[in-house]
Amino acid sequence: MKRSEMEKDILKVLVTEEELKKRVDELGEALYEKFEGKTPLFLGVLKGSFIFMADLMRATQLKSDLEFMSVSSYANATESSGRVRIVQDVQHDITGRDIIVVEDILDSGNTLAYLRDYLLGKGAASITIVTLLDKPSRRTKAVNADFVGFVVPDEFVVGYGLDYAQQYRNVPYIGVLKPEVYGQ
Ligand code: IMP
Ligand code: MG
């Protein structure tokens, strides 16, 4: 692949494309085993989960459907504001559904703690949280993922769907930006 200008902003690679592919396939197998015989609903948290979702769903060969929600708790900063706001809700009734919430990264836990309660309040039968990345060192809410791709250190990461100020989502691996990119 032709490497771009964008990659000059990357300080180091944390998770390679090959590692991502292998782990996402493993997560797909694990979900298959958990939900075999059922028809779960994959629910992606936009925008960061869109690439992970596309790969994870294809790695999980189950009858299933797909929804997205968009929530906002960040401005263009690298720290969570703590408040979660629903920007786009699910389109269909989720009463009685087994929901697989697909998230890019579990950081403070604000987003997933809020979503879990919100979805159970709407009548979901069960919530299974799958996060590509987990930064447990920064957790302030009591929420854990059922399936985690990779545990990452307390560094701001981009790529494979994750952004900084809406950019770098199309970097094909997980990387750390040079500090000067976000002015620190
Ligand atoms: P939480 O609500 O603090 O757990 O944060 C969850 C959301 O914050 C994720 O869905 C991401 O969109 C964003 N986020 C947290 N850490 C990072 C990071 O290192 N890079 C990019 N986005 C992040
Ligand atoms: Mg984000």
Side-chain angles (χ1 to χ4, degrees):
M1 194 192 306
K2 204 171 168 208
R3 294 301 181 191
S4 65
E5 273 296 295
M6 190 166 59
E7 288 192 279
K8 292 185 183 147
D9 294 343
I10 305 285
L11 178 69
K12 63 181 175 194
V13 179
L14 273 190
V15 186
T16 66
E17 289 182 67
E18 294 72 25
E19 289 166 334
L20 284 167
K21 165 93 177 91
K22 180 166 176 286
R23 188 69 187 124
V24 173
D25 286 346
E26 289 171 358
L27 291 172
E29 293 284 329
L31 287 175
Y32 184 88
E33 277 175 26
K34 176 162 180 177
F35 290 99
E36 198 172 358
K38 295 187 172 169
T39 308
L41 171 65
F42 282 85
L43 174 60
V45 185
L46 290 174
K47 301 172 188 167
S49 71
F50 81 112
I51 293 178
F52 179 41
M53 175 66 98
D55 288 343
L56 182 66
M57 224 183 156
R58 282 177 294 179
T60 315
Q61 289 294 308
L62 288 169
K63 276 194 180 173
S64 49
D65 49 336
L66 171 68
E67 290 265 356
F68 286 104
M69 281 182 77
S70 176
V71 298
S72 156
S73 67
Y74 274 54
N76 280 347
T78 57
E79 296 284 327
S80 175
S81 68
R83 290 186 310 277
V84 180
R85 188 168 58 89
I86 293 179
V87 178
Q88 182 193 309
D89 206 342
V90 287
Q91 310 281 302
H92 296 99
D93 185 16
I94 59 164
T95 310
R97 299 299 309 270
D98 294 307
I99 300 188
I100 301 173
V101 178
V102 179
E103 184 47 311
D104 55 355
I105 185 165
L106 176 51
D107 187 27
S108 71
N110 282 326
T111 307
L112 284 176
Y114 177 87
L115 273 184
R116 183 188 55 195
D117 293 349
Y118 180 77
L119 296 168
L120 288 171
K122 285 190 106 170
S126 70
I127 307 287
T128 298
I129 295 176
V130 185
T131 187
L132 178 68
L133 305 177
D134 187 6
K135 259 191 215 172
S137 56
R138 285 174 43 93
R139 199 83 84 253
T140 57
K141 288 273 166 58
V143 54
N144 282 312
D146 300 280
F147 298 95
V148 174
F150 300 89
V151 174
V152 290
D154 183 9
E155 289 183 279
F156 197 81
V157 297
V158 297
Y160 198 68
L162 290 105
D163 71 303
Y164 169 64
Q166 301 303 328
Q167 295 184 356
Y168 306 100
R169 294 192 196 275
N170 52 336
V171 170
Y173 48 80
I174 302 291
V176 177
L177 288 176
K178 293 177 180 166
E180 60 264 30
V181 178
Y182 46 83
Q184 280 178 4

